[in-house]
Amino acid sequence: MTDIESPPKSDGVQAPGPAPESLNLAPLATAAAAAALLAACGGGGGGGDTAEAPPIIGVVDFPTNGFSNPAPTSDAEAARFLQQAQFSSTTAEITELRGNGSYAQWLANQFANYRSITGWNWLEARGYGAVDTNHYYFNHYPADFMIWNQLLSGPDMMRKRVALALSEFFVTSLTTAEFTWRAHAYASWWDTLMRNAFGNYRQLLEDVTLHPAMGYFLNTKGNQKENVSTGRVPDENYSREVMQLFSLGVYQLNLDGSVKTSGGVPLETYTQDDVTNLARVFTGYDFDRSDNIRHTVPGETYTIESKEFARKPMSLNASRHSTLAATFLGTTVPANTPGREALRIALDTLFNHPNVGPFFARQMIQRLVTSDPSPAYVARVAARFNNNGSGVRGDLKAVWVAILLDDEARGAASLQSTTFGKLREPMLRFVQWARTFGGASLAGSWKIFELVNPASQIGQSPLRPPSVFNYFRPGYVPPGTALSASGATAPEFQLVNETSVGGYLNFMQGVIERGINCPNPGVPYAAYNNYAYDVVASYSRELALVTDATALVNHLALVMTAGQLSAATRQVMVTALDATPVTASSTDTVRRRRVWAAILMIMASAEYLIQK
């Protein structure tokens, strides 16, 4: 058993080099991926986090006027939509979508359902809420296991996909969490994003603001009012970031996301005075430990608090809350306004600011569809944020509908554009692999640690961004490329370098062939011994096609690239696979080698790495 969390061996997940019998395509794959990347450059909170699943959001009618592609007319069109709206597009998922008759009906079904176990309940079911000699309350790793379980398995895939996108907008990081019951707090954080994924931005903003994970990350926890005698002033971290990153951005925007200027100079959204005044609103909050429960720890001389604070909104201590007037963004919270009312005024002010629609819309389009959306695309989505068609502002369902059904997302013209699309995030490639090929934890433990090492893993891990600025900046333009000449943004390329390209391919080669090597999968605690390949793929569909290299490549092209693999690339792959004949009498090892090689070549190709 473990006491305090220890560094996992080989950066947490061991994916050894290929076994002697493996078909080694690493040199080919590395070259292909490097060429692909270069070619592409050229061209918590709330009180509802209970033991029950979050409440179902009822289906509402949403307008689809203006969308000229109401339903997929081919499997490739269906796969393209699914790869934007969720994590995968298996043949069964394609059939289900086409059977719904329209994109709108499929979306309505996603909005109506919530069937997954919550992250909190998963931790509890696995025993991570126990106060025992494993010291789970001091460890991060249960949260890693939880989030990989959530992303790689189970229903509600669209809800999970947009919750992950929201986690890259409202950023906190498990990596820097150094308080008790941190894993439970981040399970609650994930549950908060899931619960609000199809709700309203205003409620989400409040739940984010009061969540203990955010409170710790951006210093709202323990933030106190000014003290003239000591010179203490309220901490400004959250007041700055909630404007800069979670709502407004630094410059005033038009509806289409373009920057407003005066005399050619960008107009700033807020000033330092706005930051200083708004900071007063966020004073007086701390973890809600009002239950006063302490647990005796076996073998220790100390006691541990109840974990319940990790899923409650932070509580307000009025004696620590600033009573000064606060003037920001043209609004004034009068002196002596009670803390909760001051918070309501502040969040309403942020929510109703004209920047929020285009600022939020552009980044969600980037996460789901394309890195450099046209101003017209941004304007259409921002308009739906401002008014869902029924006079409601901030309806996230309307935002997702507008993003996913827009003609730029669905139209064939975008497929021919050299500027449309996005580099698939490394963690999304990994999740797609598991979802597409039946990846499962045989022991049900999902012992996948963080995968942030770019040299030996994928350089990215959910809920573990390196800073409040996420894994990459939304305005990032890759320097020294054709994109920089036009100023086109490509955020995910901030993760790309020689090390990360090779690290991704080497990692995926091992994972495709053998899965994830987990420490002692049969027990919940980390137990860095008795490693076994536990998270593995089945490849049942692929093995059924394995004797026909053309059929295998065409199938993979559909489910992995939405049919966007060129005829020339397919022929190169078929030729490479046919160099090692596979027949009905071939051994299982030989058959699997072909499947492994085909998938690796797909995942190294330019037409896969760039999603359109």
Side-chain angles (χ1 to χ4, degrees):
M1 295 185 181
T2 60
D3 284 328
I4 309 305
E5 190 169 62
S6 302
K9 295 180 180 179
S10 299
D11 301 300
V13 178
Q14 293 189 346
E21 75 276 14
S22 300
L23 179 60
N24 191 344
L25 292 178
L28 170 64
T30 300
L37 296 176
L38 291 174
C41 282
D49 196 10
T50 65
E52 300 299 322
I56 291 175
I57 306 293
V59 180
V60 297
D61 292 329
F62 41 80
T64 57
N65 295 336
F67 302 126
S68 60
N69 297 279
T73 60
S74 67
D75 285 354
E77 286 185 4
R80 183 188 184 198
F81 172 84
L82 289 169
Q83 289 177 25
Q84 293 168 345
Q86 56 177 36
F87 298 117
S88 60
S89 59
T90 65
T91 53
E93 290 160 357
I94 291 170
T95 299
E96 178 188 1
L97 169 58
R98 300 196 70 183
N100 274 270
S102 69
Y103 295 120
Q105 183 58 55
W106 184 90
L107 287 165
N109 292 345
Q110 309 313 304
F111 296 153
N113 293 328
Y114 194 136
R115 299 163 291 164
S116 294
I117 184 173
T118 63
W120 182 283
N121 287 351
W122 189 85
L123 289 182
E124 289 295 288
R126 293 293 300 165
Y128 294 117
V131 177
D132 58 24
T133 54
N134 292 298
H135 302 100
Y136 294 130
Y137 44 81
F138 283 153
N139 285 298
H140 297 83
Y141 66 79
D144 289 313
F145 303 167
M146 176 279 302
I147 192 60
W148 286 122
N149 165 262
Q150 288 276 312
L151 297 179
L152 272 60
S153 68
D156 303 309
M157 215 190 307
M158 180 184 173
R159 186 183 290 269
K160 292 174 179 177
R161 177 67 190 92
V162 299
L164 187 63
L166 291 171
S167 78
E168 296 184 71
F169 183 83
F170 298 103
V171 175
T172 65
S173 183
L174 175 63
T175 301
T176 58
E178 296 297 336
F179 55 94
T180 55
W181 297 110
R182 60 199 68 164
H184 276 73
Y186 272 82
S188 171
W189 172 253
W190 173 251
D191 294 342
T192 295
L193 300 178
M194 286 282 284
R195 184 176 62 250
N196 286 285
F198 299 150
N200 192 282
Y201 173 94
R202 171 60 178 81
Q203 183 62 55
L204 175 56
L205 182 62
E206 182 169 335
D207 287 356
V208 161
T209 299
L210 295 178
H211 198 279
M214 181 61 76
Y216 180 88
F217 186 63
L218 290 182
N219 308 120
T220 309
K221 174 201 172 326
N223 192 13
Q224 297 187 50
K225 66 182 180 182
E226 61 289 328
N227 186 317
V228 177
S229 63
T230 65
R232 184 183 67 215
V233 295
D235 187 284
E236 298 178 353
N237 205 3
Y238 188 73
S239 66
R240 178 177 293 103
E241 306 305 359
V242 73
M243 290 192 289
Q244 179 182 354
L245 302 176
F246 303 162
S247 59
L248 313 181
V250 295
Y251 296 119
Q252 296 179 37
L253 303 175
N254 296 302
L255 186 67
D256 65 3
S258 60
V259 176
K260 293 183 178 181
T261 62
S262 177
V265 178
L267 295 173
E268 294 184 348
T269 310
Y270 58 88
T271 67
Q272 178 56 42
D273 283 344
D274 292 314
V275 174
T276 299
N277 276 259
L278 182 57
R280 297 168 189 164
V281 173
F282 302 120
T283 55
Y285 289 94
D286 212 326
F287 293 165
D288 183 354
R289 297 183 172 112
S290 58
D291 60 14
N292 294 316
I293 295 174
R294 305 289 301 184
H295 299 285
T296 301
V297 182
E300 304 289 355
T301 58
Y302 58 82
T303 61
I304 284 295
E305 65 209 320
S306 162
K307 60 181 172 286
E308 290 305 309
F309 79 88
R311 61 173 173 177
K312 294 178 182 178
M314 290 186 294
S315 60
L316 176 67
N317 183 335
S319 68
R320 294 186 171 189
H321 179 73
S322 176
T323 58
L324 296 180
T327 299
F328 50 90
L329 303 175
T331 297
T332 295
V333 176
N336 301 311
T337 299
R340 292 293 183 183
E341 176 62 10
L343 181 68
R344 183 196 65 77
I345 295 171
L347 296 183
D348 282 350
T349 299
L350 294 174
F351 173 58
N352 288 298
H353 193 284
N355 260 38
V356 180
F359 185 73
F360 181 73
R362 189 176 196 278
Q363 291 192 52
M364 292 302 100
I365 295 170
Q366 287 183 313
R367 297 284 61 75
L368 300 178
V369 176
T370 185
S371 291
D372 194 42
S374 72
Y377 189 2
V378 174
R380 289 190 292 270
V381 177
R384 285 297 182 195
F385 178 95
N386 293 344
N387 184 338
N388 69 351
S390 300
V392 177
R393 179 179 176 83
D395 179 359
L396 295 181
K397 294 188 296 297
V399 171
W400 310 134
V401 170
I403 290 173
L404 294 169
L405 298 191
D406 193 89
D407 283 347
E408 291 193 36
R410 302 273 59 79
S414 299
L415 292 175
Q416 309 307 317
S417 171
T418 59
T419 61
F420 190 87
K422 63 191 291 289
L423 177 68
R424 296 180 198 263
E425 294 178 55
M427 64 182 176
L428 293 180
R429 301 174 217 164
F430 176 60
V431 173
Q432 185 187 18
W433 164 79
R435 289 277 188 175
T436 302
F437 303 115
S441 171
L442 305 180
S445 56
W446 296 96
K447 285 189 168 182
I448 308 176
F449 294 83
E450 58 181 286
L451 300 180
V452 297
N453 189 322
S456 61
Q457 299 168 331
I458 58 176
Q460 191 183 27
S461 213
L463 305 184
R464 283 187 176 270
S467 77
V468 73
F469 298 106
N470 194 25
Y471 309 97
F472 34 71
R473 301 296 295 270
Y476 179 75
V477 178
T481 68
L483 294 175
S484 63
S486 63
T489 54
E492 295 85 355
F493 275 92
Q494 198 166 356
L495 292 174
V496 177
N497 54 50
E498 294 87 346
T499 298
S500 66
V501 169
Y504 155 71
L505 287 165
N506 289 334
F507 176 81
M508 286 310 305
Q509 180 177 15
V511 167
I512 289 167
E513 295 182 11
R514 293 175 298 282
I516 296 291
N517 202 17
C518 303
N520 204 340
V523 299
Y525 48 89
Y528 303 109
N529 56 26
N530 299 322
Y531 279 75
Y533 289 98
D534 179 66
V535 181
V536 296
S538 63
Y539 304 120
S540 56
R541 172 75 174 176
E542 292 66 41
L543 288 169
L545 300 171
V546 72
T547 58
D548 185 339
T550 299
L552 177 61
V553 169
N554 287 340
H555 160 72
L556 293 174
L558 173 64
V559 299
M560 295 297 285
T561 76
Q564 295 168 30
L565 202 66
S566 67
T569 302
R570 295 183 197 219
Q571 188 55 56
V572 168
M573 293 180 180
V574 169
T575 300
L577 295 175
D578 279 341
T580 304
V582 176
T583 67
S585 60
S586 296
T587 65
D588 182 65
T589 298
V590 170
R591 294 160 67 86
R592 287 181 179 275
R593 278 191 214 147
R594 172 172 279 191
V595 170
W596 298 336
I599 294 171
L600 182 61
M601 285 192 291
I602 292 281
M603 296 188 75
S605 68
E607 293 135 321
Y608 168 74
L609 291 169
I610 301 302
Q611 175 182 339
K612 289 189 175 182

